[in-house]
Amino acid sequence: MAGQQFQYDDSGNTFFYFLTSFVGLIVIPATYYLWPRDQNAEQLRLKSLRRVHGRCLWYRLRLMKSQQSIVPTLKKAALLFGWAVFLLLAYKVSKLDREYQEYNPYEVLNLDPGASLSEIKKQYRVLSLKFHPDKGGDQDTFMRIAKAYNALTNEQSRQNWEMYGNPDGPGATSFGIALPAWIVDQKNSMLVLLVYGLAFMVILPVVVGTWWYRSIRYSGDQILINTTQLFMHFMYKTPNMNMKRLGMVLTAAFEFDPRSNKEATIRPTDNIVVPQLIRELGNINVKKKEPPFCYPYSLKARVLVLAHLARMDVSEELEEDQRFVVRKSPALLQEMINVGCQLTMMANSRGGFHAPRLGTIENCMRLTQMIVQGLQESKSPLLQLPHFEEEHLRYCNSKKYKVRSLQDLVSMKDSDRRSMLRFLGEEKYEEVMAVLGSFPHLTMDIKLQVLDDEDSNNITAGSIVTVTVTLTRKRMADMFEKEQDTTQCPGEEAAAATEETADSSKAKTKVWQNKSKGAKKTAKSKKKKLTKKKATPAPAKSKQANGNVAGNEVAAAASTAAAKEEEDDASDKGSESDEGEVNKDSASERDDDSDKQSDTEVDEMAGDDEEEWEALQQSIQRRERALLETKSKVTHPVYSLYFPEEKQEWWWLYIADRRDQTLVSVPYHVCTLKDTEEVELKFPAPSKTGNYQYSVILRSDSFMGLDQIKPLKLEVHEAKAMLDNHPQWDIPDTEEEDEEQEDSDGIEESEEDDEDND
């Protein structure tokens, strides 16, 4: 009987198969994930950003890093070496003799399959004379020839070959282990055990333990848990935190302590350089003995942040440390905002302590803007632009222009803007306009509703209110184009206004001819319509571009509105004159009209319900797609002259009660806004009925002076009382009696059946 046989590979051929497969499993995925991407694409991207971001610190550092870095070259060399090893092993395997191949006696005898017996004997005789050992031939070759001849001429051997593929019959199944035999050799046993013990009992536990120890020290946002606890302690201790105190808490983070973070460093020269910076900065609470603010690492980080905000030059020894501190600060401030939101929710649900004030959380957001732009809170937002210095602001703040914000600068005429910025050369002015045109201009569309309710527009006490905010991002350059379009076509606007005035005068004439009848009715209807309609003001940009044209448009719009009102009055007069005929109708006709009107109202209500249902289904599908879709957080690069790394343009969106200085909804960090983004903010309605005034606030985490605040009016009604006796539970007495009678009849029938069976 055939058995099984396990043996190590003495020749080493099987081991090469295993080794080739193992190297291929490593090299192929590593090439896909680690091969440096096309550096030309990165160079082209940087080249496209050069016109706007060429003066930014992060751009210059990225350009220098891409030119000096040898990491891509080392990666390519390592991967190419791996591929060379893989191809060498594959070539080695291709040259190995096949050990497991089908036995074919015709092939051994150099005969075609199906040769006759005479041909087999003749060929055997020829080969025997050639390879017989007595004739000087090879003994192994002759043995294979004799075995093949026997397999074709002996009936039993031929039958075994046809059935089992072997003339000798079924043999033992051989399994080769793809390891060389020297591994289990008695001489090498101690060495093999030593390698196994070192790999699985020392190296593997050390690697896993180190990874685990480092991972448990960080939160999901890669912030040290000790830092999060530190922020929570000080925000709980000081709910109302000013900007100065906030900077001290920020720089006390353990990320800046060399004992907790190896990236942070304390240099011997800090004892000389840091005091010099302190004297230049002035009062920064150096003598405060409250830990950890008095620790050397905290004091150094605070000095570096303040020097960054003041745009002061630091020594080369501190420049690298300053970039590290500034680079870490936005993520730490975001963690501080998250901690403030958690404390606010805990205070609202449990009570017992004061929640952080709205000003504290908003100061965190403002400090993020300041650090990204390298500006102090009191400085003008115009200093975010290139080539703007403190002495240039007097041109902008003059009585003639009064430009104090980026929006004021955008809304100016191009000629006035060029005249005001006459201190800039033509090339510098073009660069300033290119940078200003790349800044974002956002619009907010707010929709207030109560989802999963019968009346989504009715807000009741304690209901969950959903505020859907649609954010649309455009560039400031689009505002320039609109301004130019407004200033280039004043003649067309004047002509349109003249036409509207003429049309309104004609309408007035027609109405005036028929105004003698029904004067009382006309006066009443006009009074009602005046209370409902309001004159639409002219756009601000048109007014700035051409004040006379804007005034003509207002006059034309007012005359058109008056004409429409008088036409409506005439129609009301006509309907009043027909009242006598209507009163002459019979009662049956009035009933028919009322039935038709009620049917129409029912159809309209059904149509409204269908529209609401479709809108609800669309919103649910949109939310499901948003949950499944993974959006990139790469939006638009931020123009920041002094920030050391490329930062993407993100925003905070939240609802607040500015009168009580409290958060109404948790700030939502909008990280995926490229063109349009829809955000849902949910919060519970107040428990008391009445009118409430909230604010929807949009803040940038990168730019100063681009924040937006929109009012949100909330009218809370009393919740509907629950019905104790719903109509669906009102069962008539006759139905209950019928059910009882059926139950009794069923019982009697079952008793009769039992008696019959007995």
Side-chain angles (χ1 to χ4, degrees), residues 95-109:
K95 293 299 181 181
L96 294 176
D97 294 333
R98 291 183 297 169
E99 295 183 358
Y100 305 102
Q101 56 185 353
E102 184 180 359
Y103 180 73
N104 188 355
Y106 289 104
E107 184 178 348
V108 176
L109 296 176

Side-chain angles (χ1 to χ4, degrees), residues 232-301:
M232 187 167 289
H233 168 74
F234 282 105
M235 295 195 82
Y236 175 83
K237 182 180 178 181
T238 314
N240 194 7
M241 200 178 296
N242 58 19
M243 193 67 73
K244 192 172 185 179
R245 176 80 173 180
L246 187 64
M248 297 173 65
V249 175
L250 169 66
T251 52
F254 287 96
E255 271 75 4
F256 307 135
D257 188 358
R259 295 173 296 179
S260 302
N261 188 4
K262 293 182 179 179
E263 296 181 30
T265 55
I266 294 292
R267 306 176 189 276
T269 56
D270 292 346
N271 296 328
I272 301 173
V273 183
V274 173
Q276 293 177 357
L277 275 178
I278 292 174
R279 287 192 294 269
E280 294 178 10
L281 289 169
N283 184 21
I284 60 169
N285 289 344
V286 179
K287 296 181 179 180
K288 195 173 185 63
K289 300 301 180 183
E290 182 183 4
F293 305 138
C294 59
Y295 294 164
Y297 81 88
S298 177
L299 182 61
K300 177 183 176 181

Side-chain angles (χ1 to χ4, degrees), residues 95-237:
K95 293 299 181 181
L96 294 176
D97 294 333
R98 291 183 297 169
E99 295 183 358
Y100 305 102
Q101 56 185 353
E102 184 180 359
Y103 180 73
N104 188 355
Y106 289 104
E107 184 178 348
V108 176
L109 296 176
N110 296 327
L111 291 173
D112 296 330
S116 62
L117 183 61
S118 60
E119 293 176 347
I120 294 172
K121 291 181 178 181
K122 182 179 179 181
Q123 182 68 12
Y124 173 70
R125 189 179 302 108
V126 172
L127 294 176
S128 298
L129 295 174
K130 183 177 179 181
F131 293 102
H132 197 280
D134 296 341
K135 304 292 184 179
D138 185 21
Q139 184 175 0
D140 295 335
T141 305
F142 179 75
M143 293 297 295
R144 289 198 299 271
I145 293 171
K147 184 178 180 181
Y149 174 75
N150 188 33
L152 295 176
T153 55
N154 190 327
E155 188 64 27
Q156 183 65 34
S157 298
R158 187 181 185 91
Q159 192 175 13
N160 288 337
W161 170 64
E162 290 176 352
M163 292 179 61
Y164 305 109
N166 187 8
D168 299 330
T173 305
S174 177
F175 295 93
I177 302 175
L179 291 175
W182 59 265
I183 289 183
V184 293
D185 194 355
Q186 186 69 23
K187 299 177 181 178
N188 303 325
S189 59
M190 294 300 297
L191 180 61
V192 173
L193 288 176
L194 181 62
V195 172
Y196 270 88
L198 187 65
F200 293 101
M201 299 180 66
V202 178
I203 297 177
L204 185 62
V206 168
V207 171
V208 174
T210 304
W211 169 80
W212 176 252
Y213 174 73
R214 290 180 179 177
S215 63
I216 61 174
R217 296 170 59 231
Y218 291 89
S219 63
D221 297 326
Q222 295 303 308
I223 303 296
L224 286 170
I225 294 179
N226 292 337
T227 299
T228 304
Q229 295 173 351
L230 177 75
F231 291 163
M232 187 167 289
H233 168 74
F234 282 105
M235 295 195 82
Y236 175 83
K237 182 180 178 181

Side-chain angles (χ1 to χ4, degrees), residues 84-102:
V85 173
F86 176 72
L87 294 176
L88 182 63
L89 291 173
Y91 177 76
K92 176 70 175 176
V93 168
S94 66
K95 293 299 181 181
L96 294 176
D97 294 333
R98 291 183 297 169
E99 295 183 358
Y100 305 102
Q101 56 185 353
E102 184 180 359

Side-chain angles (χ1 to χ4, degrees), residues 6 10 50 111 169 213 280 487 552 609 647 675 711 731:
F6 295 89
D10 295 327
R50 183 175 183 178
L111 291 173
Y213 174 73
E280 294 178 10
T487 57
N552 292 335
D609 292 340
K647 184 172 185 322
D675 298 316
I731 303 174

Side-chain angles (χ1 to χ4, degrees), residues 67-86:
Q67 293 175 354
Q68 296 180 355
S69 178
I70 61 171
V71 174
T73 306
L74 294 177
K75 285 184 178 180
K76 287 183 178 180
L79 292 173
L80 290 175
F81 176 76
W83 275 101
V85 173
F86 176 72

Side-chain angles (χ1 to χ4, degrees), residues 509-699:
T509 304
K510 291 181 180 179
V511 176
W512 182 259
Q513 292 172 356
N514 299 326
K515 197 176 179 181
S516 58
K517 298 179 182 181
K520 187 175 181 180
K521 180 77 175 178
T522 304
K524 288 183 180 180
S525 62
K526 185 183 289 185
K527 185 176 181 181
K528 290 180 181 178
K529 297 187 181 211
L530 286 174
T531 57
K532 294 181 181 178
K533 296 182 179 180
K534 295 182 180 179
T536 56
K541 294 180 181 177
S542 300
K543 188 174 180 181
Q544 292 175 357
N546 194 342
N548 296 329
V549 174
N552 292 335
E553 287 182 353
V554 173
S559 62
T560 305
K564 289 182 179 178
E565 290 172 4
E566 291 176 357
E567 287 178 358
D568 294 338
D569 295 340
S571 63
D572 292 339
K573 181 264 303 176
S575 63
E576 187 179 278
S577 64
D578 296 336
E579 284 181 358
E581 297 178 1
V582 174
N583 291 331
K584 294 178 182 179
D585 294 339
S586 61
S588 60
E589 291 178 352
R590 288 198 299 271
D591 293 339
D592 294 339
D593 293 340
S594 63
D595 293 339
K596 292 179 180 179
Q597 185 177 2
S598 62
D599 294 339
T600 305
E601 291 177 354
V602 170
D603 294 339
E604 290 179 354
M605 292 175 63
D608 294 340
D609 292 340
E610 291 179 358
E611 291 179 358
E612 290 181 1
W613 175 254
E614 291 178 359
L616 178 61
Q617 292 297 320
Q618 290 177 0
S619 64
I620 292 174
Q621 293 176 2
R622 189 165 53 250
R623 286 198 296 269
E624 290 178 351
R625 286 197 301 268
L627 290 174
L628 296 175
E629 184 181 2
T630 303
K631 293 185 178 180
S632 173
K633 292 188 176 182
V634 178
T635 56
H636 302 276
V638 174
Y639 183 85
S640 52
L641 286 169
Y642 297 94
F643 199 68
E645 73 176 2
E646 183 179 3
K647 184 172 185 322
Q648 299 301 317
E649 181 185 300
W650 295 343
W651 303 82
W652 286 294
L653 183 66
Y654 59 99
I655 302 174
D657 187 349
R658 302 190 69 81
R659 188 186 65 178
D660 295 340
Q661 286 292 299
T662 55
L663 275 175
V664 177
S665 72
V666 176
Y668 183 85
H669 205 189
V670 184
C671 302
T672 57
L673 175 60
K674 290 185 177 179
D675 298 316
T676 304
E677 185 81 10
E678 189 175 275
V679 180
E680 289 186 352
L681 302 176
K682 296 186 179 182
F683 63 93
S687 57
K688 296 181 180 179
T689 59
N691 294 326
Y692 294 86
Q693 185 73 29
Y694 293 151
S695 299
V696 180
I697 305 173
L698 178 69
R699 291 191 184 276

